[in-house]
Amino acid sequence: RDLILMALSEAKVFGALEGAPESWKYTPVKDKRGYLKKWEQQPKTLHEVLKESYANGVGLHTGEVTKTVAIDVDKENLSLDQIKDNFKNYFGKSLDELPKSISWTSGKTDRYQIAFEIPEEYWDLLTSHKKPPELPEMELRWRDKGGNHLQSVLPPSKHPETGSYRWINSPSSTCLAVAPEWFLKGWEKLSKKEIKPKKRTWNSSGRSRYDLDYDSSRVKEGLSKYCQDHKYYTFSDYDQWNKIGMALHSLSKEWEEK
């Protein structure tokens, strides 16, 4: 039977995550995978994760809840130099030009992750990308298309092949850097084809709900547009005017109060 996380020692886990950003939230994992029902919607504190007796690892929530993205270099068939060349061809700058930040590895050759803080003004402009054509064998881990958080497994969690994850730059010695503008702009461009623009609504003018509720001009506009006699019905019978009254009620509180 696998050793559970608590059996590995709470002290070891807290020691490994000493200095971690206060914004970071976690989920318990078993062999790299989150297993709680709807874990994507249940970010937890480290204390809460350590109460899970089935876990043998800790996953960091990515996305708005932690303001954190994990850039995953997931080398398989390409060389690390080829991965870096693809990154530079797309972003115009080298992977090595990213600022120093918290980073870690599974222990597998040329595989590692780097975490960055994402400014709030970019949160709705970005989405996750797993091995896109522009960046094969890389992942930008933020949130899925449904808006759910993703997770990245952190040290000292168990890894099924290498034993455990380990730090390259630990949070005790390295601050979580803010992602640079050139990276954010490139990522935003990559995300535009994935993020559908929000549908405009009748309230897209920015007017308040209160202003709209007390604007009787909307009633006049509605009457002139929809209440014209038609060859199939007229507006002389009671039922039609009853429907009109209900519609006016929903359009304007000013009408309701008259």
Side-chain angles (χ1 to χ4, degrees), residues 99-150:
K100 183 179 180 180
S101 190
I102 299 170
S103 55
W104 60 98
T105 178
S106 64
K108 299 182 79 170
T109 303
D110 293 333
R111 291 195 180 191
Y112 59 92
Q113 295 186 52
I114 314 171
F116 288 100
E117 180 179 329
I118 303 302
E120 186 173 355
E121 59 266 29
Y122 278 94
W123 290 357
D124 292 332
L125 304 177
L126 307 172
T127 188
S128 291
H129 297 274
K130 187 171 184 178
K131 302 178 182 179
E134 298 87 345
L135 301 169
E137 301 191 14
M138 289 192 73
E139 182 177 355
L140 306 180
R141 195 171 295 161
W142 177 245
R143 62 182 178 185
D144 66 19
K145 292 181 180 179
N148 295 311
H149 306 128
L150 302 179

Side-chain angles (χ1 to χ4, degrees), residues 10-198:
E10 286 191 17
K12 184 175 182 180
V13 175
F14 279 111
L17 288 164
E18 180 183 358
E22 292 184 5
S23 63
W24 276 14
K25 297 290 186 252
Y26 311 90
T27 190
V29 298
K30 177 71 171 179
D31 296 335
K32 300 170 52 176
R33 297 183 180 276
Y35 61 85
L36 296 180
K37 186 177 181 180
K38 295 184 178 180
W39 65 262
E40 303 93 336
Q41 302 168 22
Q42 299 182 58
K44 296 181 176 295
T45 66
L46 198 53
H47 286 281
E48 291 172 326
V49 169
L50 286 167
K51 293 177 183 178
E52 292 292 330
S53 60
Y54 186 67
N56 62 8
V58 180
L60 167 68
H61 273 277
T62 59
E64 297 97 324
V65 69
T66 57
K67 304 184 285 187
T68 303
V69 64
I71 301 174
D72 186 7
V73 177
D74 196 17
K75 177 185 172 302
E76 291 181 351
N77 301 313
L78 301 177
S79 68
L80 182 58
D81 285 341
Q82 288 174 313
I83 293 172
K84 288 183 174 182
D85 285 344
N86 289 329
F87 185 94
K88 188 169 185 178
N89 288 338
Y90 179 75
F91 285 100
K93 292 200 175 188
S94 167
L95 186 62
D96 297 325
E97 292 183 73
L98 287 167
K100 183 179 180 180
S101 190
I102 299 170
S103 55
W104 60 98
T105 178
S106 64
K108 299 182 79 170
T109 303
D110 293 333
R111 291 195 180 191
Y112 59 92
Q113 295 186 52
I114 314 171
F116 288 100
E117 180 179 329
I118 303 302
E120 186 173 355
E121 59 266 29
Y122 278 94
W123 290 357
D124 292 332
L125 304 177
L126 307 172
T127 188
S128 291
H129 297 274
K130 187 171 184 178
K131 302 178 182 179
E134 298 87 345
L135 301 169
E137 301 191 14
M138 289 192 73
E139 182 177 355
L140 306 180
R141 195 171 295 161
W142 177 245
R143 62 182 178 185
D144 66 19
K145 292 181 180 179
N148 295 311
H149 306 128
L150 302 179
Q151 63 91 7
S152 281
V153 183
L154 295 172
S157 303
K158 178 183 176 181
H159 189 280
E161 296 177 48
T162 64
S164 64
Y165 289 82
R166 60 208 72 171
W167 294 115
I168 299 172
N169 293 307
S170 73
S172 63
S173 63
T174 310
C175 293
L176 180 67
V178 177
E181 192 74 11
W182 59 265
F183 172 76
L184 292 167
K185 289 295 185 184
W187 184 11
E188 179 187 0
K189 182 180 178 182
L190 194 64
S191 298
K192 280 183 177 179
K193 57 186 177 183
E194 299 287 339
I195 299 177
K196 294 181 180 179
K198 294 181 179 180

Side-chain angles (χ1 to χ4, degrees), residues 15 45 83 109-110 142 146 177 179 200 204 211 228-229 243:
T45 66
I83 293 172
T109 303
D110 293 333
W142 177 245
R200 292 179 62 86
S204 60
D211 287 342
Q228 303 295 325
D229 283 345
K243 292 178 182 178

